[in-house]
Amino acid sequence: MKSTIIILGGGESGVSAALLAKEKGYTPFLSDAKELRPQVKATIEDAGILYEEGGHRLPVLEETVFVVKSPGIPDSAEVVQRCLSAGLPIISEIELAAKYLQPRQLIGITGSNGKTTTTTLIELGLKSAGISAAACGNIGNSLARKVMDGDADTFAVELSSFQLDHMYETHHHIALLLNITPDHLDRYDYQLANYARAKWRLFQNQGAGDYAIINADDPIIGELLQRYPLGAEHLLRFSCRDPQADAYFDGTLIHFPDGVTYDYQDFRLRGAHNAQNVMAAGLALYAYGIPTDHREVVKTLTAFGGVRHRTQYIGEWRGITFINDSKGTNLDATLHALEAMPDGRTILILGGTDKGNDYAEIFDLVKSKAKALIYMTTDAEKLHRSFAALPIPKVEVHGMAQAFEAIKDWDLNEGDVVLLSPACASFDLFKNYEDRGDQFIYQFERLP
């Protein structure tokens, strides 16, 4: 009987899938188009896993029962098409790992923005209530690795659309869809509808006893709800507009369905977008069976200061606040970050690898919030053209050190805010968004 499975990709997801497959009695074969890192080679060799690097030759194709594809590899890739032509099912690492869990153990979180913050809030809330929990998936460790670790009973799983694309049987007891805005459209034939349907897959196997949690303010989610009815028994909605929603933010208080309220002014998180994340996390904990007024949970959520690189408070220098939102890689993320900033007091750092942005979408907000603009990119022509009408200082830089030299040269005042929220990917000047954010923090720490 065939037992070989091909693992495409040698990153965290692929390596963890290979190790879990080996543990569960399969014969994994890991294949990567690039040369594997020495640490990865050592890990899989120690586990007795066969592999190839520098290309997908797939000598075991005829012996294979299914393929586990890393999310970074598009379906259009030649190796994926070859596997499909061979009649092989292709699944995600999440789908593989979920085979060894019960639905009750899974809380799935997706959306264009806010996933990491909400996933982290859920993990912290569960732990505060005494639940053995782990955040994983598109955040930190893969689900496969956490299943192997065996140190958690409940998993808050952050899910990208790429991971959802190849999930078919995975069943989340609690599933959250935070929002949908254009992102990664190059993987979806540049059709927002295709991307939105990928997100909606999160709910596909829900039924009796399950909870679907959605953003009632998001028009695209509303359209999906009308077109593709949910199978979950319970639908919970959160909103900043509708007082009848299950969780409602009135600008000061967050109201939950059991009558409990949170005073959002007590929270370290700021902005309506983060209030939505708190509502979503609170509803997930409520669905899990944890009272929203649980003392330790409220204490933990209130004290949470944000995820690294996501509207992360870095500190103050001469009364000027520095906020690291390097993970703000699309216009919608930057819009939400700006909304939480003071009017006319924000030095905004924009730019990077453009995703086809139409900066007109945030022009009015930038006009009301920005005191100065720093374009940090190898090609700032589009930024210059988009914001030329604003009568504020603008400077083009090609690295974080240059950006901070500009900041030190400007006449800034106590109460101003420096916000790194690029609305672009990082690959023109940095390794990734983490590298960009880390350099922002490093330069802040070197301020005199």
Side-chain angles (χ1 to χ4, degrees), residues 317-350:
W317 173 73
R318 299 180 182 176
I320 302 161
T321 300
F322 286 72
I323 303 292
N324 169 25
D325 190 44
S326 185
K327 202 171 187 289
T329 58
N330 58 49
L331 281 175
D332 193 62
T334 296
L335 183 148
H336 287 310
L338 271 174
E339 284 178 336
M341 298 300 117
D343 289 347
R345 306 294 298 273
T346 305
I347 297 85
L348 175 62
I349 304 176
L350 278 170

Side-chain angles (χ1 to χ4, degrees), residues 68-100:
V68 178
K69 181 181 76 68
S70 293
I73 302 174
D75 287 352
S76 59
E78 186 274 335
V79 65
V80 177
Q81 292 302 310
R82 201 184 334 156
C83 292
L84 288 172
S85 296
L88 294 174
I90 298 179
I91 66 173
S92 68
E93 166 261 322
I94 300 289
E95 180 90 340
L96 175 66
K99 294 178 184 292
Y100 306 102

Side-chain angles (χ1 to χ4, degrees), residues 347-353 372-381 383-384 393-410 418-422 424-426 428-430 436 439-440 443:
I347 297 85
L348 175 62
I349 304 176
L350 278 170
T353 304
L373 293 173
I374 298 176
Y375 304 144
M376 189 163 56
T377 177
T378 56
D379 183 5
E381 181 183 352
L383 288 164
H384 281 299
K394 309 176 190 75
V395 64
E396 180 180 338
V397 301
H398 300 100
M400 198 64 71
Q402 285 185 336
F404 272 73
E405 286 302 317
I407 291 166
K408 287 186 289 185
D409 286 344
W410 278 329
V418 174
L419 171 66
L420 169 66
S421 189
C424 297
S426 55
D428 59 343
L429 292 170
F430 304 94
R436 180 168 59 190
Q439 289 196 36
F440 182 77
Q443 292 296 334

Side-chain angles (χ1 to χ4, degrees), residues 122-423:
I122 292 171
E123 178 199 31
L124 293 173
L126 289 168
K127 287 182 174 179
S128 297
I131 308 298
S132 174
C136 55
N138 201 44
I139 171 178
N141 289 321
S142 64
L143 178 61
R145 188 172 297 277
K146 295 311 297 181
V147 169
M148 286 186 291
D149 288 347
D151 57 359
D153 296 322
T154 302
F155 303 88
V157 189
E158 178 184 325
L159 295 164
S160 69
S161 58
F162 301 161
Q163 290 168 314
L164 288 163
D165 281 336
H166 289 279
M167 288 171 51
Y168 304 98
E169 298 178 359
T170 302
H171 180 173
H172 296 89
H173 171 50
I174 302 170
L176 296 82
L177 178 53
L178 305 178
N179 46 62
I180 297 177
T181 59
D183 202 8
H184 304 299
L185 296 189
D186 56 321
R187 288 276 290 264
Y188 296 96
D189 297 325
Y190 295 94
Q191 297 294 317
L192 179 59
N194 295 343
Y195 170 67
R197 283 196 295 272
K199 293 292 190 185
W200 202 250
R201 291 174 64 86
L202 178 68
F203 304 115
Q204 64 187 343
N205 295 311
Q206 288 194 299
D210 294 329
Y211 290 83
I213 300 172
I214 64 171
N215 183 345
D217 299 338
D218 191 298
I220 298 175
I221 292 176
E223 292 173 9
L224 288 167
L225 186 60
Q226 292 295 318
R227 184 171 296 184
Y228 309 107
L230 294 170
E233 181 177 349
H234 307 285
L235 172 63
L236 299 178
R237 301 158 60 249
F238 61 91
S239 175
C240 293
R241 303 173 188 167
D242 182 5
Q244 302 306 311
D246 300 280
Y248 169 61
F249 178 50
D250 64 14
T252 302
L253 299 178
I254 294 175
H255 304 260
F256 285 106
D258 52 4
V260 173
T261 59
Y262 292 170
D263 188 341
Y264 191 56
Q265 297 177 94
D266 294 338
F267 279 67
R268 289 187 63 193
L269 292 174
R270 289 288 179 267
H273 66 296
N274 273 323
Q276 290 183 327
N277 296 334
V278 172
M279 286 190 285
L283 286 176
L285 298 171
Y286 170 80
Y288 193 85
I290 299 170
T292 52
D293 62 352
H294 189 292
R295 183 176 178 181
E296 291 303 314
V297 171
V298 176
K299 181 179 177 182
T300 296
L301 299 185
T302 303
F304 179 64
V307 175
R308 188 172 178 84
H309 307 306
R310 183 39 118 187
T311 54
Q312 175 193 10
Y313 172 83
I314 301 302
E316 293 186 8
W317 173 73
R318 299 180 182 176
I320 302 161
T321 300
F322 286 72
I323 303 292
N324 169 25
D325 190 44
S326 185
K327 202 171 187 289
T329 58
N330 58 49
L331 281 175
D332 193 62
T334 296
L335 183 148
H336 287 310
L338 271 174
E339 284 178 336
M341 298 300 117
D343 289 347
R345 306 294 298 273
T346 305
I347 297 85
L348 175 62
I349 304 176
L350 278 170
T353 304
D354 189 273
K355 295 181 175 181
N357 290 342
D358 179 1
Y359 292 103
E361 296 178 23
I362 64 170
F363 180 87
D364 288 342
L365 189 59
V366 172
K367 181 179 179 180
S368 67
K369 297 289 185 178
K371 180 174 184 174
L373 293 173
I374 298 176
Y375 304 144
M376 189 163 56
T377 177
T378 56
D379 183 5
E381 181 183 352
K382 186 175 181 180
L383 288 164
H384 281 299
R385 187 171 64 249
S386 299
F387 298 106
L390 297 182
I392 58 176
K394 309 176 190 75
V395 64
E396 180 180 338
V397 301
H398 300 100
M400 198 64 71
Q402 285 185 336
F404 272 73
E405 286 302 317
I407 291 166
K408 287 186 289 185
D409 286 344
W410 278 329
D411 182 21
L412 303 182
N413 302 308
E414 185 174 338
D416 289 344
V417 177
V418 174
L419 171 66
L420 169 66
S421 189

